[in-house]
Amino acid sequence: MRTAMMLAASVSALALAGNAAAQEAPPPADVGQTAQPTQGLQEIIVTAQKRSESLNDVPLSITAASGDQLANQGVTDVSDLVKIVPGFNYTESAYATPVYTLRGVGFYDTSLAAKPTVSVYQDQVPIPFSIMTRGATLDLERVEVLKGPQGTLFGSNATGGAINYIAAKPTDWFEGGVQASVQNFGEVTLSGHVSGPLGDTAKARLAVQTVQGGAWQRSYTRDAKLGDQRFTTARMLLDFEPSDTLRFEVNLNGFIDKSDGQAAQLIGVVPLGNPARLGDLATYPVAPENNRDADWTDSQAPKRDNWFYQASLRGDLDLSDTVMLTSITSWSEYSHDTDIDPDGVSLRDYFYNTTGEITAFSQELRIQGEAGGLTWMIGGNYAREKTYQQDDAGPYDQSTSAYNFVDAGLSGPFFIYSQYARQKFVNKALFANVDYEIGDLVTLHGGIRYTDTDIDFAGCTADRGDALGQGIESLLNVIRSGAGLDPITIADNACVTIDSSTLTVLEVTDELNEDNISWRAGIDLKPSADALIYASVSRGFKSGSFPLLSASEANQFNPVTQESVTAYELGTKLTVLDRTAQINAALFYYDYADKQFKGRVVANPDIFGPLEALVNVPKSEVKGAELQVDLAPIDGLRFTVGATYLDTKIKGSFVNYDSYGNQVDFAGSSFPYTPEFQLLMDGQYEWAASDTVSPYIGANISYQSDTKAVLGDARATPSADLTRRGGLTIDDYMLVDLRAGLNIADNYKVGVFVRNLTNEYYWNNATRITDTTVRYAGRPRTFGVSVSANF
């Protein structure tokens, strides 16, 4: 399939170039001259409500940025949205799956099949799992980030919000461009696109990008580097308009990722098993407090061998001048083969290889129209996804936990085991949305969606013929003997997850069938063309979820049930000072029920003590405020300030276990990965030095206050050294980026950039990995040069 896609793309590019030779692009008003910087803020058109409308007329909190803005600010991945989106947070997980949080709403589960709370779309086509989103930022027209529950229009699993990437579209004339950049760690990025007509009724666009090199991490115990990128992504768009009333859009996109993963930094050792078994780990030096230094095992270095492709077809049929029927069909496939070494040391304390497959099909059919002051939409969705993940752990003969059975006198040490899960998701939904204008001043909004979700699960932890099965067998037979039961035998390579109720081992099979009704109601007032005041209340749901983890006991695979968020928001959008300033502000309160967290459970009978699992927290809340100000006071000067305040809290008593097995009442605890304050500033000034040259300078500053990577007191760790080094906290940090360059003759651009100018030491995650506690550092100071040419 990948070969077929590449061949199709190549053939289309040749056809495009051939056709374009006969076309003449409409020339700009002043050929060969740079467009002069303009004064005032330009209107931004978005499709946040699945129709085109001005950003300032949409009664939602939205951050939108053009493709040029994203390129200028170095936004090349979903994670980089922290530079431009107030309230957005990205977490580098220990297990390769990214975690996105918006306004405090997130879900930290790192399995491939983890459903996010912040949904990602490309031209309204869902990318259902976060692990599949890496190539979404290629060749963009703009990005729209919608905040708050978006369930009525974007379905379940959008309780935090939705990110919709809008690809740059095929043009009616021939055009193309190439871009290149190189930075100080040797990372080279090459990209290009070509676009134009294929005849009277069709046009196409092909975009390709590859990123190579750039190893920025270094071992602090030996001469070794890590961090090379080997990532290539491509997209081909084909627009076909056979008649004035019928339009089709075909989107073929995908990526190949053979990059290095990221190594963790060791900040402390707390043994999971007998401390006498620590060996070299007992005296292993902790990582220096800088961004670059980390450690990993040479033979087990983090590496990826992943690929993804997606094909979608959108059709729009005008049933009348005011009514349109839309169908969006998509198919996605993802393959995962990644080596992960998350323990922060060059010893064999913990290592595993993850392989997996995801297939996803979705179909949306909707009809929408206008009648007088009424704008309406009704439709339905069907989605089916199948996932498989297998983690092969080991060898880790230098881990204390590998000797637990030895120390208990039950068997020899085990160094290898496996865990796997198969899941099938089926989601069916019906939805409706209406907006009704009462004169020029008042508009009422309402939306509703019914969703039915079925999840089938099968999984276990399995022996791999290396004493784990023998140890579990011995343990169970000791317990069974005391209960007067006959002994059992566990075969090599069999499941060893224990069913405590029967004192046997099994593959866990289960299903979760849920439904819900999400809704939204709102009113907005428009006292003038430049002012909007809105109030809304909405309820969204995130579906239940099964975990994938090293399950010693079957209860660890129990699913969390669906969570709900009821969101109240009051906001305003004001254009002032002769359209040179835009002020958007919002106050919001989220009432959470059954929020999903990673916690711990204890089996009955208690064989292993507290074990990792997913849990529901009955009651919690988010209070917050947000402000974004855009300024264009003079020709060529643009300035943006964004700020978010969050107060997250567990309501009432919630007793569970921390990362080190201590029982804690988490009442009043704030959510992980939710800094209380975030501040973003970006400014750029461009001026005309001559008729053909426009220099520019710009800067971006982002700040976030400290937060926690776990529930509760993240510094209350069992080690004084861990407490001194911050435990499982994420310290506050501020990043400064600079950029400067020249726009030449409207076709060429040369720029220089510096990311993290002050070389700030910061990290976005801290976690316990068996015997070690580690953190994941951000990128060090990076500088480079970029060039581009358009034709």
Side-chain angles (χ1 to χ4, degrees):
M1 181 67 182
R2 285 180 290 166
T3 303
M5 285 180 61
M6 295 296 187
L7 180 60
S10 301
V11 171
S12 297
L14 292 174
L16 181 62
N19 239 293
Q23 304 290 328
E24 183 176 351
D30 297 303
V31 177
Q33 295 192 1
T34 299
Q36 300 300 301
T38 57
Q39 183 176 2
L41 296 168
Q42 306 302 307
E43 184 179 36
I44 301 174
I45 302 299
V46 297
T47 53
Q49 300 189 106
K50 298 191 174 180
R51 63 180 187 269
S52 296
E53 52 192 333
S54 172
L55 175 63
N56 291 336
D57 291 337
V58 181
L60 298 170
S61 183
I62 302 171
T63 296
S66 69
D68 287 341
Q69 288 176 298
L70 297 174
N72 284 339
Q73 297 173 27
V75 178
T76 59
D77 187 77
V78 182
S79 62
D80 293 325
L81 291 176
V82 295
K83 297 181 180 182
I84 66 169
V85 181
F88 180 78
N89 197 273
Y90 161 78
T91 303
E92 177 71 37
S93 78
Y95 304 101
T97 301
V99 178
Y100 309 131
T101 304
L102 196 52
R103 283 183 171 177
V105 182
F107 178 50
Y108 190 86
D109 180 20
T110 56
S111 61
L112 300 184
K115 288 284 190 176
T117 58
V118 180
S119 297
V120 179
Y121 290 79
Q122 187 178 100
D123 288 330
Q124 300 182 25
V125 175
I127 305 177
F129 300 96
S130 298
I131 195 71
M132 306 163 78
T133 60
R134 285 206 69 202
T137 55
L138 173 68
D139 191 34
L140 294 178
E141 178 181 304
R142 68 183 183 278
V143 63
E144 301 171 5
V145 181
L146 288 63
K147 303 169 187 178
Q150 303 298 323
T152 56
L153 287 177
F154 289 90
S156 59
N157 308 319
T159 46
I163 301 171
N164 193 21
Y165 288 101
I166 291 85
K169 297 300 185 288
T171 52
D172 292 321
W173 57 89
F174 174 69
E175 70 162 36
V178 292
Q179 300 85 34
S181 69
V182 61
Q183 46 98 321
N184 56 306
F185 293 111
E187 181 178 293
V188 176
T189 301
L190 300 173
S191 61
H193 77 274
V194 61
S195 175
L198 296 175
D200 294 335
T201 60
K203 51 189 175 182
R205 186 182 186 100
L206 174 66
V208 180
Q209 178 174 280
T210 188
V211 184
Q212 302 292 323
W216 59 276
Q217 287 195 295
R218 62 192 178 196
S219 168
Y220 60 92
T221 62
R222 65 194 188 283
D223 184 15
K225 292 184 178 182
L226 187 73
D228 275 331
Q229 298 295 299
R230 303 174 190 86
F231 183 80
T232 301
T233 182
R235 181 193 302 121
M236 184 177 70
L237 299 177
L238 175 64
D239 289 357
F240 176 54
E241 191 170 349
S243 71
D244 292 339
T245 59
L246 181 61
R247 299 168 297 282
F248 293 102
E249 298 177 5
V250 177
N251 185 332
L252 301 176
N253 67 87
F255 65 74
I256 298 172
D257 185 7
K258 296 180 178 291
S259 306
D260 294 345
Q262 183 173 344
Q265 295 183 322
L266 177 69
I267 61 172
V269 175
V270 179
L272 189 63
N274 184 353
R277 296 284 186 183
L278 281 172
D280 292 340
L281 194 56
T283 57
Y284 204 92
V286 297
E289 294 188 350
N290 64 60
N291 302 69
R292 295 193 63 187
D293 288 333
D295 229 344
W296 62 96
T297 306
D298 272 337
S299 60
Q300 301 170 344
K303 298 284 185 183
R304 303 174 187 147
D305 188 3
N306 309 332
W307 57 261
F308 166 79
Y309 72 82
Q310 184 180 70
S312 66
L313 172 65
R314 171 172 176 158
D316 292 303
L317 175 63
D318 295 330
L319 301 178
S320 71
D321 291 341
T322 58
V323 179
M324 181 174 68
L325 176 68
T326 298
S327 170
I328 302 177
T329 309
S330 73
W331 171 264
S332 307
E333 187 166 344
Y334 175 77
S335 176
H336 188 88
D337 185 352
T338 297
D339 292 332
I340 298 174
D341 183 16
D343 55 28
V345 295
S346 61
L347 308 175
R348 293 185 300 277
D349 188 63
Y350 191 55
F351 163 83
Y352 66 90
N353 170 259
T354 295
T355 55
E357 301 285 341
I358 299 174
T359 58
F361 169 80
S362 72
Q363 172 64 55
E364 177 172 314
L365 187 66
R366 67 178 188 253
I367 186 170
Q368 60 196 86
E370 300 177 0
L374 180 68
T375 301
W376 55 271
M377 179 190 303
I378 57 174
N381 287 93
Y382 174 81
R384 184 185 71 246
E385 297 118 14
K386 293 182 179 180
T387 69
Y388 178 78
Q389 180 177 345
Q390 178 171 315
D391 299 339
D392 294 308
Y396 58 108
D397 51 294
Q398 292 171 292
S399 169
T400 62
S401 61
Y403 296 89
N404 283 345
F405 288 128
V406 176
D407 295 329
L410 296 173
S411 75
F414 66 93
F415 303 139
I416 301 173
Y417 68 90
S418 196
Q419 57 199 32
Y420 70 85
R422 296 186 301 271
Q423 296 192 64
K424 179 182 178 182
F425 305 80
V426 176
N427 184 285
K428 293 167 280 189
L430 296 173
F431 62 89
N433 199 78
V434 295
D435 304 282
Y436 183 61
E437 296 180 359
I438 304 176
D440 295 330
L441 178 64
V442 179
T443 303
L444 303 178
H445 308 275
I448 191 168
R449 177 185 290 253
Y450 170 77
T451 302
D452 180 86
T453 302
D454 298 328
I455 309 175
D456 295 326
F457 174 89
C460 76
T461 298
D463 171 64
R464 283 294 175 258
D466 191 41
L468 177 59
Q470 177 189 345
I472 296 293
E473 178 185 301
S474 299
L475 174 64
L476 280 179
N477 284 336
V478 168
I479 300 172
R480 289 174 66 88
S481 175
L485 299 174
D486 293 334
I488 62 170
T489 300
I490 298 177
D492 288 346
N493 300 313
C495 286
V496 296
T497 298
I498 297 172
D499 182 353
S500 295
S501 63
T502 62
L503 296 177
T504 59
V505 293
L506 78 169
E507 178 188 73
V508 177
T509 59
D510 201 354
E511 63 181 28
L512 183 63
N513 304 316
E514 298 177 312
D515 63 356
N516 59 70
I517 297 176
S518 56
W519 49 266
R520 178 176 181 268
I523 182 172
D524 58 70
L525 306 177
K526 202 167 177 60
S528 72
D530 294 330
L532 175 72
I533 302 170
Y534 66 90
S536 68
V537 57
S538 60
R539 175 170 292 174
F541 290 84
K542 181 196 174 298
S543 64
S545 184
F546 289 89
L548 173 63
L549 36 74
S550 179
S552 301
E553 211 281 331
N555 285 334
Q556 291 179 261
F557 283 127
N558 288 344
V560 282
T561 56
Q562 63 187 357
E563 66 179 27
S564 68
V565 177
T566 305
Y568 305 85
E569 182 164 339
L570 176 66
T572 184
K573 299 183 177 184
L574 304 173
T575 307
V576 297
L577 301 178
D578 196 24
R579 300 193 62 82
T580 62
Q582 177 70 38
I583 303 172
N584 295 344
L587 299 172
F588 52 89
Y589 174 76
Y590 294 169
D591 187 12
Y592 243 125
D594 297 319
K595 180 168 175 58
Q596 301 167 359
F597 275 114
K598 183 166 284 189
R600 279 168 170 73
V601 296
V602 175
N604 185 20
D606 181 2
I607 298 175
F608 298 104
L611 297 170
E612 188 177 43
L614 294 177
V615 296
N616 288 105
V617 177
K619 292 292 183 181
S620 53
E621 66 181 10
V622 179
K623 301 175 184 176
E626 194 170 82
L627 174 69
Q628 182 167 330
V629 179
D630 297 315
L631 301 171
I634 61 174
D635 288 354
L637 177 61
R638 302 291 183 270
F639 192 75
T640 296
V641 178
T644 301
Y645 165 76
L646 292 175
D647 178 15
T648 64
K649 184 171 64 176
I650 303 294
K651 296 168 63 178
S653 177
F654 174 65
V655 178
N656 203 258
Y657 300 86
D658 66 17
S659 298
Y660 300 94
N662 304 304
Q663 191 173 55
V664 178
D665 188 344
F666 293 105
S669 293
S670 58
F671 299 171
Y673 312 113
T674 56
E676 185 177 14
F677 296 102
Q678 283 182 276
L679 177 66
L680 308 174
M681 293 186 288
D682 190 89
Q684 181 164 310
Y685 179 54
E686 181 178 350
W687 68 98
S690 70
D691 289 342
T692 59
V693 177
S694 291
Y696 68 88
I697 56 173
N700 181 278
I701 299 174
S702 59
Y703 167 81
Q704 71 168 43
S705 59
D706 63 331
T707 183
K708 303 172 183 177
V710 293
L711 279 178
D713 185 357
R715 293 182 184 269
T717 57
S719 162
D721 185 60
L722 274 178
T723 300
R724 179 184 65 80
R725 291 172 63 83
L728 297 178
T729 61
I730 300 171
D731 283 354
D732 64 306
Y733 63 86
M734 183 172 69
L735 302 179
V736 179
D737 296 349
L738 300 180
R739 58 186 184 269
L742 301 173
N743 289 310
I744 305 170
D746 221 20
N747 294 324
Y748 307 99
K749 184 175 182 178
V750 179
V752 294
F753 59 86
V754 181
R755 319 284 189 219
N756 191 4
L757 174 69
T758 62
N759 205 27
E760 175 89 352
Y761 174 50
Y762 70 105
W763 57 96
N764 56 47
N765 197 10
T767 186
R768 185 187 187 186
I769 305 291
T770 61
D771 296 317
T772 65
T773 301
V774 301
R775 61 175 56 141
Y776 282 81
R779 296 288 293 264
R781 178 169 49 232
T782 305
F783 54 87
V785 61
S786 63
V787 296
S788 64
N790 295 312
F791 53 87

